[in-house]
Amino acid sequence: MPFSPVPFVLQVSMLLFFAAKLGSRGAITMVGSFLLQGLMGFPVFSMGQAGLPVFLGPRGGYLCGYLVAAAIVGFLHERREEKSAVSLATDMAIGNLVVYFFGAAYLSSFIGIGKAVMVGILPFILPNALKILALSTLPRMYHLHKMR
């Protein structure tokens, strides 16, 4: 996105979805290995980026937030008695808020808190909400398809 140092990616929504499915331990392992791959130089981050400079740059807070958010979403969802599209969407939305918090907090050290919110959170709310809604219906759609 030309006006933001933060790219639109599907990674956040997918990692939150899989975090709910894997539980807290699995989510930490999944995201931790993803971050470690990027840190080691594998081009797994947006636009094929990798390495320590990505963590130290404006996007670093979002990447760190991935790990915390995945742990929280996994923890919340594995403890739910009834797992539904609504509970999955709720847990993923909470995870998204965690990513926003970490990302904007760190981004603010580069551009100030007001601008960090304007370019690092607000443009992403609607697209992320739509991705969460779409992903939260997948288990139900899979179940219905499997019953045929």
Short mmCIF file of all heavy atoms in Angstrom, two decimals, residues 16-88:
data_model
loop_
_atom_site.label_atom_id
_atom_site.label_comp_id
_atom_site.label_asym_id
_atom_site.label_seq_id
_atom_site.Cartn_x
_atom_site.Cartn_y
_atom_site.Cartn_z
N LEU A 16 -4.06 -16.76 12.31
CA LEU A 16 -5.07 -16.75 13.38
C LEU A 16 -6.02 -17.93 13.23
O LEU A 16 -6.42 -18.56 14.21
CB LEU A 16 -5.83 -15.43 13.37
CG LEU A 16 -5.01 -14.19 13.70
CD1 LEU A 16 -5.84 -12.93 13.53
CD2 LEU A 16 -4.42 -14.26 15.11
N PHE A 17 -6.40 -18.24 11.99
CA PHE A 17 -7.27 -19.38 11.72
C PHE A 17 -6.62 -20.68 12.17
O PHE A 17 -7.19 -21.47 12.90
CB PHE A 17 -7.61 -19.43 10.23
CG PHE A 17 -8.40 -20.63 9.82
CD1 PHE A 17 -9.76 -20.69 10.07
CD2 PHE A 17 -7.80 -21.71 9.19
CE1 PHE A 17 -10.51 -21.80 9.69
CE2 PHE A 17 -8.52 -22.82 8.81
CZ PHE A 17 -9.89 -22.87 9.07
N PHE A 18 -5.37 -20.89 11.74
CA PHE A 18 -4.67 -22.12 12.11
C PHE A 18 -4.33 -22.16 13.60
O PHE A 18 -4.28 -23.23 14.19
CB PHE A 18 -3.43 -22.33 11.25
CG PHE A 18 -3.77 -22.78 9.86
CD1 PHE A 18 -3.49 -21.98 8.78
CD2 PHE A 18 -4.40 -23.99 9.64
CE1 PHE A 18 -3.82 -22.38 7.49
CE2 PHE A 18 -4.73 -24.42 8.37
CZ PHE A 18 -4.45 -23.61 7.29
N ALA A 19 -4.11 -21.01 14.21
CA ALA A 19 -3.86 -20.97 15.65
C ALA A 19 -5.07 -21.51 16.41
O ALA A 19 -4.92 -22.28 17.36
CB ALA A 19 -3.54 -19.54 16.10
N ALA A 20 -6.26 -21.14 15.96
CA ALA A 20 -7.47 -21.64 16.61
C ALA A 20 -7.57 -23.15 16.43
O ALA A 20 -7.97 -23.87 17.36
CB ALA A 20 -8.70 -20.95 16.02
N LYS A 21 -7.19 -23.63 15.28
CA LYS A 21 -7.30 -25.06 15.01
C LYS A 21 -6.21 -25.88 15.71
O LYS A 21 -6.43 -27.02 16.07
CB LYS A 21 -7.25 -25.32 13.50
CG LYS A 21 -8.40 -24.72 12.75
CD LYS A 21 -9.69 -25.28 13.29
CE LYS A 21 -10.90 -24.53 12.84
NZ LYS A 21 -12.10 -24.91 13.58
N LEU A 22 -5.03 -25.29 15.91
CA LEU A 22 -3.90 -26.02 16.49
C LEU A 22 -3.83 -25.93 18.01
O LEU A 22 -3.14 -26.72 18.64
CB LEU A 22 -2.58 -25.50 15.91
CG LEU A 22 -2.36 -25.76 14.44
CD1 LEU A 22 -1.12 -25.02 13.94
CD2 LEU A 22 -2.23 -27.26 14.17
N GLY A 23 -4.49 -24.96 18.61
CA GLY A 23 -4.36 -24.74 20.05
C GLY A 23 -3.11 -23.93 20.34
O GLY A 23 -2.30 -23.65 19.45
N SER A 24 -2.94 -23.55 21.59
CA SER A 24 -1.86 -22.62 21.94
C SER A 24 -0.47 -23.19 21.66
O SER A 24 0.38 -22.51 21.09
CB SER A 24 -1.98 -22.18 23.39
OG SER A 24 -1.96 -23.29 24.26
N ARG A 25 -0.23 -24.43 22.04
CA ARG A 25 1.11 -25.01 21.81
C ARG A 25 1.43 -25.14 20.33
O ARG A 25 2.51 -24.78 19.87
CB ARG A 25 1.22 -26.37 22.47
CG ARG A 25 1.48 -26.29 23.93
CD ARG A 25 1.81 -27.65 24.45
NE ARG A 25 2.48 -27.52 25.72
CZ ARG A 25 2.57 -28.47 26.60
NH1 ARG A 25 2.07 -29.65 26.33
NH2 ARG A 25 3.19 -28.26 27.73
N GLY A 26 0.48 -25.65 19.59
CA GLY A 26 0.69 -25.80 18.15
C GLY A 26 0.84 -24.46 17.46
O GLY A 26 1.64 -24.30 16.54
N ALA A 27 0.07 -23.48 17.93
CA ALA A 27 0.14 -22.15 17.33
C ALA A 27 1.49 -21.50 17.59
O ALA A 27 2.08 -20.89 16.69
CB ALA A 27 -0.98 -21.27 17.90
N ILE A 28 1.99 -21.63 18.80
CA ILE A 28 3.31 -21.07 19.13
C ILE A 28 4.39 -21.73 18.28
O ILE A 28 5.28 -21.07 17.75
CB ILE A 28 3.59 -21.20 20.63
CG1 ILE A 28 2.68 -20.26 21.42
CG2 ILE A 28 5.06 -20.92 20.94
CD1 ILE A 28 2.68 -20.50 22.92
N THR A 29 4.29 -23.05 18.13
CA THR A 29 5.26 -23.77 17.30
C THR A 29 5.18 -23.32 15.85
O THR A 29 6.20 -23.06 15.21
CB THR A 29 5.02 -25.29 17.40
OG1 THR A 29 5.13 -25.68 18.78
CG2 THR A 29 6.01 -26.07 16.56
N MET A 30 3.96 -23.22 15.32
CA MET A 30 3.76 -22.82 13.93
C MET A 30 4.32 -21.42 13.67
O MET A 30 5.12 -21.22 12.76
CB MET A 30 2.28 -22.87 13.58
CG MET A 30 1.95 -22.32 12.20
SD MET A 30 0.18 -22.10 11.89
CE MET A 30 -0.24 -20.77 13.02
N VAL A 31 3.89 -20.46 14.46
CA VAL A 31 4.31 -19.07 14.22
C VAL A 31 5.78 -18.88 14.57
O VAL A 31 6.50 -18.17 13.87
CB VAL A 31 3.41 -18.08 14.98
CG1 VAL A 31 3.88 -16.65 14.79
CG2 VAL A 31 1.97 -18.21 14.51
N GLY A 32 6.22 -19.53 15.63
CA GLY A 32 7.63 -19.44 15.99
C GLY A 32 8.54 -19.95 14.88
O GLY A 32 9.56 -19.34 14.57
N SER A 33 8.15 -21.06 14.26
CA SER A 33 8.97 -21.59 13.16
C SER A 33 8.91 -20.67 11.94
O SER A 33 9.91 -20.48 11.25
CB SER A 33 8.56 -23.02 12.80
OG SER A 33 7.24 -23.07 12.33
N PHE A 34 7.76 -20.08 11.68
CA PHE A 34 7.62 -19.12 10.58
C PHE A 34 8.54 -17.92 10.81
O PHE A 34 9.29 -17.51 9.92
CB PHE A 34 6.16 -18.67 10.48
CG PHE A 34 5.92 -17.45 9.65
CD1 PHE A 34 6.02 -17.48 8.28
CD2 PHE A 34 5.56 -16.26 10.26
CE1 PHE A 34 5.78 -16.35 7.51
CE2 PHE A 34 5.31 -15.12 9.51
CZ PHE A 34 5.42 -15.17 8.13
N LEU A 35 8.50 -17.36 12.01
CA LEU A 35 9.35 -16.20 12.33
C LEU A 35 10.82 -16.57 12.29
O LEU A 35 11.66 -15.79 11.81
CB LEU A 35 8.96 -15.63 13.69
CG LEU A 35 7.56 -15.04 13.79
CD1 LEU A 35 7.25 -14.62 15.22
CD2 LEU A 35 7.37 -13.87 12.84
N LEU A 36 11.15 -17.74 12.79
CA LEU A 36 12.54 -18.20 12.77
C LEU A 36 13.04 -18.37 11.33
O LEU A 36 14.18 -18.00 11.02
CB LEU A 36 12.68 -19.50 13.56
CG LEU A 36 14.10 -20.01 13.77
CD1 LEU A 36 14.95 -18.97 14.51
CD2 LEU A 36 14.07 -21.31 14.56
N GLN A 37 12.20 -18.91 10.48
CA GLN A 37 12.58 -19.04 9.06
C GLN A 37 12.90 -17.67 8.47
O GLN A 37 13.90 -17.50 7.77
CB GLN A 37 11.45 -19.69 8.26
CG GLN A 37 11.28 -21.15 8.52
CD GLN A 37 10.04 -21.70 7.83
OE1 GLN A 37 9.50 -21.09 6.91
NE2 GLN A 37 9.58 -22.85 8.27
N GLY A 38 12.03 -16.70 8.74
CA GLY A 38 12.27 -15.35 8.24
C GLY A 38 13.53 -14.74 8.82
O GLY A 38 14.31 -14.09 8.11
N LEU A 39 13.75 -14.95 10.09
CA LEU A 39 14.94 -14.42 10.75
C LEU A 39 16.21 -15.04 10.17
O LEU A 39 17.24 -14.37 10.04
CB LEU A 39 14.85 -14.68 12.25
CG LEU A 39 15.86 -13.99 13.15
CD1 LEU A 39 15.79 -12.48 13.00
CD2 LEU A 39 15.62 -14.37 14.60
N MET A 40 16.13 -16.31 9.79
CA MET A 40 17.29 -17.01 9.23
C MET A 40 17.55 -16.64 7.77
O MET A 40 18.55 -17.07 7.20
CB MET A 40 17.08 -18.53 9.35
CG MET A 40 17.11 -19.01 10.78
SD MET A 40 16.63 -20.75 10.99
CE MET A 40 17.50 -21.58 9.71
N GLY A 41 16.65 -15.87 7.17
CA GLY A 41 16.89 -15.43 5.81
C GLY A 41 15.99 -16.04 4.74
O GLY A 41 16.10 -15.69 3.57
N PHE A 42 15.11 -16.94 5.14
CA PHE A 42 14.17 -17.49 4.16
C PHE A 42 13.14 -16.41 3.82
O PHE A 42 12.60 -15.77 4.73
CB PHE A 42 13.47 -18.74 4.71
CG PHE A 42 14.38 -19.91 4.87
CD1 PHE A 42 15.01 -20.16 6.08
CD2 PHE A 42 14.62 -20.77 3.80
CE1 PHE A 42 15.86 -21.25 6.24
CE2 PHE A 42 15.47 -21.86 3.95
CZ PHE A 42 16.10 -22.09 5.17
N PRO A 43 12.82 -16.22 2.56
CA PRO A 43 11.94 -15.12 2.15
C PRO A 43 10.45 -15.42 2.39
O PRO A 43 9.66 -15.53 1.46
CB PRO A 43 12.24 -14.96 0.67
CG PRO A 43 12.63 -16.33 0.23
CD PRO A 43 13.37 -16.94 1.41
N VAL A 44 10.07 -15.53 3.65
CA VAL A 44 8.70 -15.90 3.99
C VAL A 44 7.81 -14.70 4.34
O VAL A 44 6.60 -14.85 4.43
CB VAL A 44 8.67 -16.91 5.17
CG1 VAL A 44 9.32 -18.23 4.77
CG2 VAL A 44 9.33 -16.34 6.41
N PHE A 45 8.39 -13.54 4.53
CA PHE A 45 7.60 -12.37 4.86
C PHE A 45 7.08 -11.71 3.59
O PHE A 45 7.47 -12.07 2.48
CB PHE A 45 8.42 -11.38 5.70
CG PHE A 45 8.95 -11.97 6.98
CD1 PHE A 45 10.23 -11.70 7.39
CD2 PHE A 45 8.17 -12.79 7.77
CE1 PHE A 45 10.73 -12.24 8.57
CE2 PHE A 45 8.65 -13.34 8.94
CZ PHE A 45 9.95 -13.06 9.35
N SER A 46 6.20 -10.75 3.74
CA SER A 46 5.60 -10.10 2.58
C SER A 46 6.67 -9.58 1.63
O SER A 46 7.75 -9.16 2.05
CB SER A 46 4.70 -8.95 3.03
OG SER A 46 5.47 -7.92 3.60
N MET A 47 6.36 -9.68 0.36
CA MET A 47 7.25 -9.23 -0.72
C MET A 47 8.60 -9.94 -0.71
O MET A 47 9.61 -9.39 -1.12
CB MET A 47 7.42 -7.71 -0.68
CG MET A 47 6.10 -6.97 -0.89
SD MET A 47 6.25 -5.19 -0.84
CE MET A 47 6.33 -4.89 0.91
N GLY A 48 8.61 -11.16 -0.17
CA GLY A 48 9.83 -11.96 -0.18
C GLY A 48 10.94 -11.46 0.73
O GLY A 48 12.09 -11.82 0.56
N GLN A 49 10.59 -10.67 1.70
CA GLN A 49 11.61 -10.13 2.60
C GLN A 49 11.97 -11.14 3.68
O GLN A 49 11.21 -12.05 3.99
CB GLN A 49 11.13 -8.84 3.24
CG GLN A 49 10.96 -7.72 2.23
CD GLN A 49 10.55 -6.43 2.89
OE1 GLN A 49 9.93 -6.43 3.95
NE2 GLN A 49 10.90 -5.33 2.28
N ALA A 50 13.14 -10.94 4.29
CA ALA A 50 13.62 -11.82 5.34
C ALA A 50 14.75 -11.15 6.10
O ALA A 50 15.26 -10.12 5.68
CB ALA A 50 14.12 -13.13 4.74
N GLY A 51 15.11 -11.74 7.22
CA GLY A 51 16.26 -11.30 7.99
C GLY A 51 15.93 -10.35 9.13
O GLY A 51 14.80 -9.89 9.29
N LEU A 52 16.95 -10.09 9.93
CA LEU A 52 16.82 -9.22 11.10
C LEU A 52 16.33 -7.81 10.75
O LEU A 52 15.55 -7.25 11.51
CB LEU A 52 18.15 -9.16 11.85
CG LEU A 52 18.15 -8.41 13.17
CD1 LEU A 52 17.16 -9.02 14.16
CD2 LEU A 52 19.55 -8.39 13.76
N PRO A 53 16.74 -7.23 9.60
CA PRO A 53 16.25 -5.88 9.30
C PRO A 53 14.73 -5.77 9.23
O PRO A 53 14.17 -4.73 9.56
CB PRO A 53 16.88 -5.57 7.93
CG PRO A 53 18.12 -6.40 7.90
CD PRO A 53 17.76 -7.67 8.65
N VAL A 54 14.04 -6.84 8.85
CA VAL A 54 12.57 -6.81 8.80
C VAL A 54 12.02 -6.67 10.22
O VAL A 54 11.09 -5.91 10.46
CB VAL A 54 12.00 -8.06 8.10
CG1 VAL A 54 10.48 -8.02 8.07
CG2 VAL A 54 12.55 -8.19 6.69
N PHE A 55 12.61 -7.39 11.17
CA PHE A 55 12.17 -7.32 12.56
C PHE A 55 12.48 -5.95 13.18
O PHE A 55 11.74 -5.48 14.03
CB PHE A 55 12.84 -8.40 13.41
CG PHE A 55 12.24 -9.76 13.22
CD1 PHE A 55 12.72 -10.61 12.24
CD2 PHE A 55 11.20 -10.20 14.02
CE1 PHE A 55 12.17 -11.86 12.05
CE2 PHE A 55 10.64 -11.45 13.85
CZ PHE A 55 11.13 -12.28 12.85
N LEU A 56 13.57 -5.35 12.76
CA LEU A 56 13.96 -4.05 13.31
C LEU A 56 13.31 -2.88 12.59
O LEU A 56 13.35 -1.76 13.07
CB LEU A 56 15.49 -3.90 13.26
CG LEU A 56 16.27 -4.95 14.06
CD1 LEU A 56 17.77 -4.74 13.86
CD2 LEU A 56 15.89 -4.91 15.52
N GLY A 57 12.69 -3.14 11.44
CA GLY A 57 12.03 -2.09 10.67
C GLY A 57 10.61 -1.86 11.15
O GLY A 57 10.17 -2.42 12.16
N PRO A 58 9.86 -1.04 10.43
CA PRO A 58 8.51 -0.65 10.85
C PRO A 58 7.52 -1.80 11.01
O PRO A 58 6.53 -1.67 11.72
CB PRO A 58 8.04 0.30 9.75
CG PRO A 58 9.21 0.62 8.92
CD PRO A 58 10.28 -0.38 9.21
N ARG A 59 7.78 -2.93 10.37
CA ARG A 59 6.86 -4.07 10.45
C ARG A 59 7.18 -5.03 11.59
O ARG A 59 6.44 -5.98 11.82
CB ARG A 59 6.91 -4.84 9.13
CG ARG A 59 6.50 -4.00 7.96
CD ARG A 59 6.66 -4.76 6.67
NE ARG A 59 6.50 -3.84 5.57
CZ ARG A 59 6.96 -4.05 4.37
NH1 ARG A 59 7.61 -5.15 4.10
NH2 ARG A 59 6.78 -3.16 3.41
N GLY A 60 8.26 -4.79 12.29
CA GLY A 60 8.70 -5.72 13.33
C GLY A 60 7.69 -5.97 14.43
O GLY A 60 7.56 -7.09 14.92
N GLY A 61 6.98 -4.95 14.83
CA GLY A 61 5.98 -5.12 15.89
C GLY A 61 4.85 -6.04 15.48
O GLY A 61 4.33 -6.81 16.29
N TYR A 62 4.46 -5.95 14.22
CA TYR A 62 3.41 -6.83 13.73
C TYR A 62 3.88 -8.28 13.76
O TYR A 62 3.13 -9.17 14.17
CB TYR A 62 2.99 -6.45 12.30
CG TYR A 62 2.34 -5.10 12.23
CD1 TYR A 62 3.09 -3.96 11.95
CD2 TYR A 62 0.98 -4.94 12.47
CE1 TYR A 62 2.50 -2.71 11.89
CE2 TYR A 62 0.38 -3.69 12.42
CZ TYR A 62 1.15 -2.58 12.13
OH TYR A 62 0.56 -1.34 12.10
N LEU A 63 5.11 -8.51 13.35
CA LEU A 63 5.64 -9.88 13.36
C LEU A 63 5.69 -10.44 14.77
O LEU A 63 5.31 -11.59 15.00
CB LEU A 63 7.03 -9.91 12.72
CG LEU A 63 7.07 -9.56 11.23
CD1 LEU A 63 8.51 -9.46 10.74
CD2 LEU A 63 6.30 -10.59 10.41
N CYS A 64 6.15 -9.64 15.73
CA CYS A 64 6.17 -10.09 17.13
C CYS A 64 4.75 -10.31 17.63
O CYS A 64 4.48 -11.24 18.40
CB CYS A 64 6.92 -9.08 17.99
SG CYS A 64 8.66 -8.98 17.59
N GLY A 65 3.84 -9.45 17.20
CA GLY A 65 2.44 -9.60 17.58
C GLY A 65 1.83 -10.89 17.07
O GLY A 65 0.92 -11.44 17.69
N TYR A 66 2.32 -11.39 15.93
CA TYR A 66 1.83 -12.67 15.41
C TYR A 66 1.96 -13.77 16.45
O TYR A 66 1.05 -14.56 16.65
CB TYR A 66 2.62 -13.11 14.17
CG TYR A 66 2.40 -12.37 12.88
CD1 TYR A 66 1.57 -11.27 12.77
CD2 TYR A 66 3.07 -12.78 11.74
CE1 TYR A 66 1.40 -10.61 11.58
CE2 TYR A 66 2.90 -12.13 10.52
CZ TYR A 66 2.07 -11.05 10.45
OH TYR A 66 1.90 -10.41 9.25
N LEU A 67 3.11 -13.83 17.08
CA LEU A 67 3.37 -14.91 18.04
C LEU A 67 2.45 -14.80 19.26
O LEU A 67 1.86 -15.78 19.68
CB LEU A 67 4.84 -14.90 18.47
CG LEU A 67 5.29 -16.07 19.32
CD1 LEU A 67 5.15 -17.38 18.55
CD2 LEU A 67 6.73 -15.88 19.75
N VAL A 68 2.32 -13.61 19.79
CA VAL A 68 1.46 -13.40 20.96
C VAL A 68 0.00 -13.67 20.59
O VAL A 68 -0.73 -14.34 21.31
CB VAL A 68 1.64 -11.98 21.53
CG1 VAL A 68 0.70 -11.73 22.69
CG2 VAL A 68 3.09 -11.75 21.93
N ALA A 69 -0.42 -13.15 19.44
CA ALA A 69 -1.80 -13.34 19.00
C ALA A 69 -2.11 -14.81 18.77
O ALA A 69 -3.18 -15.30 19.15
CB ALA A 69 -2.06 -12.54 17.73
N ALA A 70 -1.19 -15.53 18.14
CA ALA A 70 -1.41 -16.95 17.89
C ALA A 70 -1.57 -17.72 19.20
O ALA A 70 -2.45 -18.57 19.33
CB ALA A 70 -0.25 -17.52 17.08
N ALA A 71 -0.74 -17.41 20.18
CA ALA A 71 -0.84 -18.07 21.48
C ALA A 71 -2.19 -17.77 22.14
O ALA A 71 -2.83 -18.68 22.67
CB ALA A 71 0.31 -17.62 22.38
N ILE A 72 -2.62 -16.53 22.07
CA ILE A 72 -3.89 -16.14 22.69
C ILE A 72 -5.07 -16.80 21.98
O ILE A 72 -5.97 -17.35 22.62
CB ILE A 72 -4.04 -14.61 22.73
CG1 ILE A 72 -3.04 -14.02 23.73
CG2 ILE A 72 -5.46 -14.19 23.07
CD1 ILE A 72 -2.93 -12.51 23.70
N VAL A 73 -5.07 -16.74 20.65
CA VAL A 73 -6.18 -17.34 19.89
C VAL A 73 -6.22 -18.85 20.13
O VAL A 73 -7.29 -19.41 20.35
CB VAL A 73 -6.05 -17.01 18.39
CG1 VAL A 73 -7.04 -17.83 17.56
CG2 VAL A 73 -6.27 -15.52 18.15
N GLY A 74 -5.07 -19.49 20.09
CA GLY A 74 -5.04 -20.93 20.35
C GLY A 74 -5.55 -21.27 21.73
O GLY A 74 -6.33 -22.20 21.91
N PHE A 75 -5.13 -20.49 22.72
CA PHE A 75 -5.56 -20.70 24.11
C PHE A 75 -7.07 -20.51 24.23
O PHE A 75 -7.76 -21.34 24.83
CB PHE A 75 -4.82 -19.72 25.02
CG PHE A 75 -5.25 -19.78 26.45
CD1 PHE A 75 -4.72 -20.72 27.31
CD2 PHE A 75 -6.19 -18.89 26.95
CE1 PHE A 75 -5.11 -20.79 28.65
CE2 PHE A 75 -6.59 -18.94 28.28
CZ PHE A 75 -6.06 -19.90 29.12
N LEU A 76 -7.58 -19.42 23.68
CA LEU A 76 -9.02 -19.14 23.79
C LEU A 76 -9.86 -20.22 23.11
O LEU A 76 -10.83 -20.71 23.68
CB LEU A 76 -9.35 -17.77 23.17
CG LEU A 76 -8.84 -16.55 23.88
CD1 LEU A 76 -9.11 -15.29 23.05
CD2 LEU A 76 -9.49 -16.42 25.26
N HIS A 77 -9.47 -20.57 21.90
CA HIS A 77 -10.31 -21.47 21.12
C HIS A 77 -10.26 -22.91 21.64
O HIS A 77 -11.27 -23.61 21.59
CB HIS A 77 -9.95 -21.41 19.64
CG HIS A 77 -11.09 -21.78 18.76
ND1 HIS A 77 -12.22 -21.00 18.63
CD2 HIS A 77 -11.30 -22.87 17.98
CE1 HIS A 77 -13.07 -21.59 17.81
NE2 HIS A 77 -12.53 -22.73 17.41
N GLU A 78 -9.11 -23.34 22.14
CA GLU A 78 -9.05 -24.72 22.63
C GLU A 78 -9.84 -24.89 23.92
O GLU A 78 -10.20 -26.00 24.28
CB GLU A 78 -7.60 -25.17 22.82
CG GLU A 78 -6.84 -24.51 23.94
CD GLU A 78 -5.35 -24.80 23.90
OE1 GLU A 78 -4.89 -25.56 23.03
OE2 GLU A 78 -4.63 -24.24 24.75
N ARG A 79 -10.16 -23.81 24.61
CA ARG A 79 -10.92 -23.90 25.86
C ARG A 79 -12.42 -23.68 25.66
O ARG A 79 -13.18 -23.78 26.61
CB ARG A 79 -10.36 -22.91 26.87
CG ARG A 79 -9.08 -23.46 27.47
CD ARG A 79 -8.25 -22.45 28.19
NE ARG A 79 -7.08 -23.05 28.80
CZ ARG A 79 -6.04 -23.54 28.16
NH1 ARG A 79 -6.01 -23.55 26.85
NH2 ARG A 79 -5.01 -24.06 28.81
N ARG A 80 -12.83 -23.38 24.48
CA ARG A 80 -14.26 -23.18 24.21
C ARG A 80 -14.97 -24.53 24.18
O ARG A 80 -14.51 -25.46 23.51
CB ARG A 80 -14.47 -22.47 22.89
CG ARG A 80 -14.09 -21.01 22.95
CD ARG A 80 -14.72 -20.28 21.77
NE ARG A 80 -14.33 -18.89 21.75
CZ ARG A 80 -15.01 -17.93 22.35
NH1 ARG A 80 -16.09 -18.23 23.05
NH2 ARG A 80 -14.61 -16.68 22.28
N GLU A 81 -16.09 -24.58 24.87
CA GLU A 81 -16.87 -25.82 24.84
C GLU A 81 -17.56 -25.98 23.49
O GLU A 81 -17.58 -27.05 22.92
CB GLU A 81 -17.91 -25.81 25.96
CG GLU A 81 -17.28 -26.01 27.33
CD GLU A 81 -18.32 -26.10 28.42
OE1 GLU A 81 -19.43 -26.60 28.16
OE2 GLU A 81 -18.00 -25.68 29.53
N GLU A 82 -18.14 -24.88 23.02
CA GLU A 82 -18.82 -24.93 21.72
C GLU A 82 -18.00 -24.14 20.71
O GLU A 82 -17.81 -22.93 20.86
CB GLU A 82 -20.23 -24.34 21.82
CG GLU A 82 -20.99 -24.45 20.53
CD GLU A 82 -22.37 -23.85 20.62
OE1 GLU A 82 -22.99 -23.90 21.69
OE2 GLU A 82 -22.82 -23.31 19.60
N LYS A 83 -17.53 -24.84 19.72
CA LYS A 83 -16.75 -24.18 18.67
C LYS A 83 -17.68 -23.92 17.49
O LYS A 83 -18.18 -24.85 16.87
CB LYS A 83 -15.56 -25.05 18.27
CG LYS A 83 -14.54 -25.16 19.40
CD LYS A 83 -13.41 -26.09 19.04
CE LYS A 83 -12.31 -26.11 20.03
NZ LYS A 83 -12.61 -26.31 21.40
N SER A 84 -17.89 -22.66 17.21
CA SER A 84 -18.78 -22.27 16.13
C SER A 84 -18.09 -21.22 15.27
O SER A 84 -17.01 -20.73 15.61
CB SER A 84 -20.08 -21.68 16.72
OG SER A 84 -19.79 -20.47 17.41
N ALA A 85 -18.74 -20.86 14.19
CA ALA A 85 -18.21 -19.79 13.33
C ALA A 85 -18.11 -18.49 14.11
O ALA A 85 -17.14 -17.73 13.96
CB ALA A 85 -19.09 -19.62 12.09
N VAL A 86 -19.07 -18.24 14.98
CA VAL A 86 -19.06 -17.01 15.77
C VAL A 86 -17.91 -17.02 16.78
O VAL A 86 -17.19 -16.02 16.91
CB VAL A 86 -20.41 -16.80 16.50
CG1 VAL A 86 -20.35 -15.62 17.45
CG2 VAL A 86 -21.53 -16.59 15.49
N SER A 87 -17.70 -18.13 17.45
CA SER A 87 -16.60 -18.19 18.42
C SER A 87 -15.25 -18.11 17.71
O SER A 87 -14.32 -17.46 18.20
CB SER A 87 -16.69 -19.45 19.29
OG SER A 87 -16.46 -20.62 18.54
N LEU A 88 -15.14 -18.74 16.55
CA LEU A 88 -13.90 -18.67 15.79
C LEU A 88 -13.64 -17.23 15.33
O LEU A 88 -12.53 -16.72 15.48
CB LEU A 88 -13.95 -19.61 14.58
CG LEU A 88 -12.74 -19.62 13.65
CD1 LEU A 88 -11.46 -19.94 14.41
CD2 LEU A 88 -12.97 -20.61 12.52
#
